Amino acid sequence: AMRKKIHTVLNGLLTILANISPYMMSITLVAAVKMVSMFEYFIARKWLLSKEDSYVPALHLLEVFVYMIHYQYAGSTNLVYAILRRKSLFEQLRSFSVEAAPISANSALNSGQDKEEESKEIVQSRYWVPTNEWVESWKSQLKLESVQRLIHNLFPRVEAHCVKNDIDDEEPILAFLKRTTMVGLLPLPPQIVIRKFHYGIETQNWFIGYLWRLVFLKNQKSGLFDNEAIKLFTVSIVRADPSE
């Protein structure tokens, strides 16, 4: 259900994010954590094996991380911290295969489902079945080296600093990260690629729906629409358990 809701504008929004990321001079901790959590969602087994181009969102987000690490490192302390906290995600993506696809325990895709049930729910089009050759074709496009070097060089330093100073809070860690530098430790910065907007049927449908919602909301008193016949969204009411 979530896939259907976000798919219509997903690639467009992530393209915009990738285009502006080399110029984002800072990012809040909340936004950084959300971005890494979104990355976790897009590398989950069920998402990646559901459609032939399902790897594209992960590719865009990884590009955002790399651009910010290379071009805005001084203002990306919060993002670096979020990446170090979830460093296992990048190793999972690097070793991803059809037979041993990584399953994230924290992903909303997988909550409440065991592995056997999840495997049965993977959508496999009768015109396309995921293969390891397909996996390797898009893995070669991933810019993982910069993130891997960041983790390899920075995580041991942060860990040693925390042990030496008995730190278990994020604020001192963020302060330490602000004093670090990755000059000479990262590969050459990638060339900044700006992608142009491509108008497609999915984007068109989203904008048409959005415009009609605005028309409906702005004409509540005119009697132009039957308010009882049009539903913008459904409200589900969950009754509280009397025993609680």
Side-chain angles (χ1 to χ4, degrees):
M2 181 176 179
R3 181 184 180 87
K4 292 179 180 179
K5 292 178 183 178
I6 66 176
H7 185 68
T8 52
V9 293
L10 177 60
N11 286 338
L13 292 175
L14 290 178
T15 298
I16 293 172
L17 187 59
N19 283 347
I20 66 174
S21 59
Y23 314 102
M24 291 170 57
M25 300 184 66
S26 64
I27 183 173
T28 66
L29 182 59
V30 173
V33 171
K34 290 289 185 181
M35 284 175 58
V36 175
S37 295
M38 188 161 53
F39 180 73
E40 179 184 15
Y41 182 95
F42 292 133
I43 68 169
R45 172 190 176 96
K46 188 174 180 180
W47 178 277
L48 282 177
L49 299 184
S50 64
K51 195 176 179 183
E52 191 170 3
D53 62 349
S54 291
Y55 65 89
V56 175
L59 188 148
H60 285 330
L61 272 177
L62 187 60
E63 188 173 275
V64 171
F65 299 158
V66 171
Y67 279 154
M68 295 190 70
I69 290 170
H70 277 281
Y71 293 102
Q72 301 293 340
Y73 183 83
S76 301
T77 302
N78 291 323
L79 177 62
V80 171
Y81 174 70
I83 289 174
L84 293 178
R85 287 180 66 236
R86 307 305 306 279
K87 62 185 182 67
S88 61
L89 296 177
F90 301 92
E91 176 58 30
Q92 288 179 359
L93 182 60
R94 187 192 67 79
S95 59
F96 186 92
S97 67
V98 173
E99 290 81 9
I103 299 175
S104 173
N106 295 323
S107 173
L109 282 170
N110 305 319
S111 59
Q113 299 180 359
D114 57 32
K115 296 180 181 179
E116 181 178 357
E117 183 180 359
E118 180 188 333
S119 297
K120 293 179 180 178
E121 293 183 356
I122 293 175
V123 180
Q124 293 187 349
S125 167
R126 60 180 177 177
Y127 302 109
W128 174 79
V129 175
T131 63
N132 281 326
E133 289 73 22
W134 165 78
V135 171
E136 293 304 319
S137 70
W138 56 259
K139 280 175 66 174
S140 63
Q141 303 176 47
L142 298 175
K143 300 175 180 178
L144 275 171
E145 184 181 3
S146 295
V147 178
Q148 288 177 316
R149 285 204 193 181
L150 175 83
I151 294 171
H152 176 76
N153 288 285
L154 204 51
F155 185 80
R157 294 161 59 186
V158 172
E159 192 173 40
H161 178 72
C162 291
V163 172
K164 180 180 178 180
N165 297 279
D166 194 24
I167 295 174
D168 58 0
D169 187 63
E170 63 188 24
E171 289 301 327
I173 299 176
L174 291 171
F176 174 76
L177 288 173
K178 288 180 181 180
R179 301 193 299 269
T180 63
T181 178
M182 292 298 293
V183 175
L185 299 175
L186 295 175
L188 293 175
Q191 182 180 359
I192 297 176
V193 178
I194 302 299
R195 295 179 175 84
K196 295 183 179 180
F197 174 77
H198 294 283
Y199 195 71
I201 186 64
E202 292 179 335
T203 308
Q204 175 181 322
N205 291 339
W206 185 88
F207 275 114
I208 290 175
Y210 175 71
L211 289 174
W212 274 111
R213 286 173 175 84
L214 290 180
V215 171
F216 174 74
L217 292 172
K218 296 295 183 180
N219 291 275
Q220 293 294 293
K221 297 181 181 180
S222 65
L224 183 62
F225 299 100
D226 182 354
N227 292 348
E228 296 183 357
I230 297 177
K231 295 181 180 179
L232 295 182
F233 53 85
T234 302
V235 178
S236 299
I237 300 176
V238 180
R239 300 186 181 278
D241 189 343
S243 62
E244 294 183 354

